[in-house]
Amino acid sequence: MEMASSAKWFAVALVFITVILLRVIRGRRMAAAPASEKPPPPVVNGFALLGLLPRLLTMDLRTKINCLHDKYGSVFTVSPFGLTNVTFLIGPEVQSHFFQGLESEINHGNLLEFLVPMFGQEIGQGVDAATRTEQSRFYLDALKQSKLRRHLDPMLQEVESYFGKWGLEGVVDLKHEFEELLMLISSRCLLGKEVREKMFDEFYKLFRDVENGVNMISVFFPYIPIPANRRRDKARLKLIELLSGTVRSRKSSPSVEEDVLQRLIDSKYKDGRSTTETEVTGMIIALIFGGKHTSSLASTWTGACLLTHPKFLAAASQEQKEIMMKYKDKIEYDALLEMNTLHNCIKEALRLNPPTTMLVRKALKHFTVRTRQGQEYGIPKGHTLASPIIQNNYLPYIYKDPEVYDPDRFGPVRQEDIVGGKFSYTSFGGGRHFCSGDAYAYMQVKVIWSHLLNNFDLKLLSPYPKTDWSKLIPEPQGNMMVSYKRRQLLG
């Protein structure tokens, strides 16, 4: 199994090199940057990679990066035979410019071009930087914490209805259950009651076709007419048609709904222009894509960790008893804010299993980094920059026993992520690029696990899941079978 997974990543590496060759031939390489006063980072060239290949082929992705980190330090450039330059930045000390730099200095470039056929030419990577910044403001406004209270009751209704269909006892694949539940919550809170009540099944099917358009081939060749990409394109057009009717109806209606779709419809650009139907549709598809999958995986990994660590399961359950007593068995928004133990359990699960393996940017201007040891390197313009979350979240000088699931590390006594520096914990990004939906994601996962802890005794029947590194977004491998026994009947 290990060799099969490694072979997949080796194949991915070959595809990546092929893509770079094609882009060189097409003249898409950026011009070389002028020399810097500071020395460049150490380079892992093609011949060095070939020397390491026997070891790298037997490792998973995080161990591969750790191997290079141990050998070359916290800043190094991977340059396979001079075809491209990918500079890795490991540790909070060298992350400041990566997360705080201006769009004119560091941005995604064309690295996220594969998202354009998913969300459309009217949003995100399909528009200029200024428009993209304004659209990010729309997201922030729609999901800011002051408006999250309005989502609690719909979330609770979906969660209680879903688990209300479970029997007195049984066995389920918790991974599958969370995928379905999070899609229901997303359709209710993000899209609104029209889609949830009248067209959910159709929306879900179309969205799955768009979602399945994310694969290793489409990342490098987003427009190649493979079956998955053709299904993605057809599904997106049908989604636009489906949602445009709802947007059009909302725009002409005097009533105002309390959901994210309405916020995006009401958003205006600085010049006074309102968002268009196509823009709103693209933004809502992007939100669901980013949020539903992340929250589903966060719920699954939290379950895997809690159900294999009785100490923290007991602590989270005890916290629920105390909070439910205080709030008279009602989950209120303020109650969620007091669930510090559960919050830390989720946060620690995401430290060990972040939503993505690494974040990437493109350096548009030269800049300098200073390592923890005091070494300064000049990072040239044109380099692709990689911040490997799966390595940063395991640094032993920040996190004590980093391989161990220990939510107490985030408690008031230790606060390892704060003591370690501003960018020690980047599972949700950081700085200018901090995920606008992090509070919304925590809220969803807390509502789900609060309900489960208060109503069911759960036992993990499957082994603790391994990470499926073959997926673009790493996820638990296989099923996660759990037995449940209801403690009390829902009223």
Side-chain angles (χ1 to χ4, degrees), residues 1 9 30 67 88 105 192 236 276 280 307 330 375-377 386 388 400 436 440 448 477 485:
M1 211 58 151
W9 278 103
M30 296 185 73
C67 174
F88 283 76
E105 301 173 336
R236 189 180 71 83
T276 66
V280 171
L307 298 180
K330 182 174 174 56
Q375 176 67 50
E376 291 188 330
Y377 294 112
K400 180 183 177 182
S436 58
Y440 180 80
I448 291 169
Q477 193 175 70
K485 186 174 183 180

Side-chain angles (χ1 to χ4, degrees), residues 178-189:
F178 288 150
E179 286 176 357
E180 289 205 344
L181 174 57
L182 264 302
M183 195 65 213
L184 290 168
I185 292 174
S186 294
S187 67
R188 177 74 175 275
C189 297

